Amino acid sequence: MAELIELKNITHQSNSVVTVGTFDGVHKGHRALIDAVVTKADERNARSVVVTFDPHPREIINPGKGGIKLLTTLKERCEILEDLGVDVLLVIPFDRDFSLLTSEEFVRKIIHKKVGVSEFVIGYDHHFGRDREGTIETIKKLGAELGFDYYVVSKQEMGDVTISSTVIRRTLAEEGNVKKAAEYLDRNYLLNGIVMHGDERGRTIGYPTANLKPEHENKVIPKNGVYAVKIRVQGEWFGGMMNIGVRPTFDDPVRTVEVNIFDFSREIYGDTIQVRFIDRIRDEQKFDGIDELKAQLDSDKQKSLEILG
């Protein structure tokens, strides 16, 4: 992975190209920022540094609103950023004290003094610091004073939609449109989960499922329904289909996330597996009995196989 460093362990290097943000999802809009950082670092023979926060700032600033649903965990962000060529991912613990830093204090004390910066890459509408009062003008002013350049990345759009983490969360959780989310993310949405014991009802009808507990409790789970998916198990990839919901045929009130892995028979309880969402097949529905449910699952599997190619 990109080298993940805590603030207390960062080494000052004045020739660093830096950007700052939460980067939840590392979507196409974020990619434009990251690509600019990596490109400019190469041009300057500099270190590329992405500064991010954990937990998500909204969990601290608005704690009474149930927390923020995450598109990517910190580990997932780190893996994606490594693939994009980032040298260092600096993770700052976001707490109440840190949230009180003004934008100027943040740039002076953290970016300039502790990290080092020769160029600062910023999004066209980025706000930072206490009360989000820091802007491009803040960076422009401090760059002139402290001796670093700045570069502004323009708005990233698809059609008439400005790509954002909020838009992608809504696309997944409210619409279940994993194909559209993949376009915004520039990759399939993924979910890492631990395989837990379930009621094993699927085995009795020929569709055994792995019941998943997401690695992070605040991870975005797509809208209830059935999805064609790819699953990484013990380093290998398999096709499959996932059901998210309350299993109305069995009057089960508990929302579950379970995946049927095609042509698979290993014992994987306790393993962590990764699911990548390829397409949505249908809404969750209630059936009159087991035979009707099994017939639908046969159809779902056939459609999944066609989607997965």
Side-chain angles (χ1 to χ4, degrees), residues 68-73 76 189-192 214-221:
I68 181 73
K69 292 296 183 181
L70 298 174
L71 296 170
T72 46
T73 64
E76 290 163 358
Y189 184 64
L190 63 86
L191 173 67
N192 289 300
E215 272 191 324
H216 197 293
E217 62 182 357
N218 284 339
K219 179 82 172 178
V220 173
I221 305 298

Side-chain angles (χ1 to χ4, degrees), residues 2-12 16-23 47-54 74 77-78 81 86-94 98 106 109-116:
E3 188 177 7
L4 193 156
I5 300 179
E6 295 181 1
L7 183 59
K8 62 184 179 182
N9 296 325
I10 191 70
T11 300
H12 181 276
S16 297
V17 179
V18 180
T19 193
V20 176
T22 307
F23 301 114
R47 175 178 67 169
S48 57
V49 181
V50 172
V51 181
T52 192
F53 310 102
D54 189 61
L74 180 60
R77 268 182 282 163
C78 194
L81 290 169
V86 172
D87 294 324
V88 172
L89 175 62
L90 173 61
V91 181
I92 296 178
F94 198 94
F98 184 82
F106 173 67
K109 294 180 179 180
I110 306 297
I111 302 302
H112 177 65
K113 188 174 181 179
K114 290 196 174 183
V115 180

Side-chain angles (χ1 to χ4, degrees), residues 125-140:
D125 65 344
H126 188 60
H127 291 75
F128 63 101
R130 187 174 66 204
D131 299 325
R132 292 172 51 83
E133 36 79 28
T135 65
I136 293 170
E137 288 304 312
T138 309
I139 295 299
K140 182 178 180 180

Side-chain angles (χ1 to χ4, degrees), residues 119 161 201 268 290 292:
E119 188 164 7
V161 176
R201 188 181 282 125
I268 55 172
I290 297 299
E292 186 177 331

Side-chain angles (χ1 to χ4, degrees), residues 74-198:
L74 180 60
K75 178 183 175 183
E76 290 163 358
R77 268 182 282 163
C78 194
E79 291 173 346
I80 295 166
L81 290 169
E82 180 187 37
D83 289 342
L84 298 180
V86 172
D87 294 324
V88 172
L89 175 62
L90 173 61
V91 181
I92 296 178
F94 198 94
D95 56 22
R96 179 59 63 179
D97 288 342
F98 184 82
S99 73
L100 297 177
L101 277 181
T102 68
S103 57
E104 288 206 14
E105 288 172 331
F106 173 67
V107 174
R108 291 180 189 277
K109 294 180 179 180
I110 306 297
I111 302 302
H112 177 65
K113 188 174 181 179
K114 290 196 174 183
V115 180
V117 56
S118 53
E119 188 164 7
F120 193 107
V121 177
I122 186 170
Y124 75 102
D125 65 344
H126 188 60
H127 291 75
F128 63 101
R130 187 174 66 204
D131 299 325
R132 292 172 51 83
E133 36 79 28
T135 65
I136 293 170
E137 288 304 312
T138 309
I139 295 299
K140 182 178 180 180
K141 171 194 164 188
L142 292 174
E145 177 188 335
L146 300 174
F148 62 84
D149 297 326
Y150 73 97
Y151 178 80
V152 180
V153 175
S154 60
K155 181 189 299 187
Q156 303 297 305
E157 296 179 302
M158 286 184 59
D160 59 353
V161 176
T162 300
I163 301 171
S164 71
S165 300
T166 299
V167 167
I168 299 170
R169 291 186 195 107
R170 186 183 309 122
T171 300
L172 289 166
E174 297 179 13
E175 303 171 19
N177 193 338
V178 294
K179 286 190 73 174
K180 179 60 71 176
E183 293 178 21
Y184 295 147
L185 290 166
D186 211 22
R187 68 183 179 281
N188 297 115
Y189 184 64
L190 63 86
L191 173 67
N192 289 300
I194 302 169
V195 180
M196 309 295 288
H197 284 278

Side-chain angles (χ1 to χ4, degrees), residues 237-307:
W237 285 98
F238 296 86
M241 56 185 183
M242 169 165 274
N243 184 82
I244 300 172
V246 296
R247 299 184 292 185
T249 301
F250 302 104
D251 296 319
D252 188 344
V254 179
R255 192 185 196 208
T256 59
V257 179
E258 52 188 346
V259 61
N260 172 244
I261 307 172
F262 300 153
D263 303 315
F264 187 85
S265 59
R266 300 179 203 166
E267 179 67 56
I268 55 172
Y269 288 120
D271 284 10
T272 296
I273 67 175
Q274 182 179 102
V275 177
R276 292 183 181 254
F277 291 85
I278 309 303
D279 203 355
R280 181 179 173 85
I281 296 176
R282 62 174 173 86
D283 287 335
E284 189 176 38
Q285 61 192 96
K286 183 170 184 174
F287 299 97
D288 289 336
I290 297 299
D291 290 341
E292 186 177 331
L293 169 60
K294 188 176 184 307
Q296 182 61 56
L297 291 175
D298 291 341
S299 175
D300 293 342
K301 180 176 182 178
Q302 184 57 41
K303 188 169 183 179
S304 295
L305 289 169
E306 292 170 3
I307 291 169

